[in-house]
Amino acid sequence: MNALRTRELLKAADKTLVQSRAQLDRIKGLYDAGAKAGGDVYQQEAAVGQQELQSITAKNDYEKPKAELLYFLSFPAETSTVFVMRTTDM
């Protein structure tokens, strides 16, 4: 279960990173147009860097339980896997 949970956290971290990069592009455009200060660009660049770190951390947090699960199931570590969580309505 930990592999499924950490996979969802990884997906969320990657989505947030994409949004942070898009926000940086918008702020750079506003800066180029003279509507934003240079400090705003630097602040968003720092936010993107922090989000990149969070995304890398989330990937590492996912890989460990994934490897443990593969080991538990007696699959080779290099096995390409996709975990699917199915929910049932009760």
Side-chain angles (χ1 to χ4, degrees), residues 22-74:
Q23 181 68 11
L24 176 59
D25 290 340
R26 282 190 288 278
I27 290 172
K28 282 183 176 179
L30 290 170
Y31 171 76
D32 290 342
K36 281 283 190 184
D40 293 332
V41 174
Y42 298 134
Q43 187 175 18
Q44 187 60 31
E45 285 175 341
V48 168
Q50 285 291 327
Q51 190 54 47
E52 287 172 343
L53 177 61
Q54 288 179 351
S55 185
I56 291 167
T57 300
K59 184 176 191 309
N60 290 338
D61 290 347
Y62 168 63
E63 291 298 326
K64 184 174 186 267
K66 179 180 134 183
E68 289 170 350
L69 180 60
L70 291 173
Y71 177 79
F72 178 75
L73 296 173
S74 299

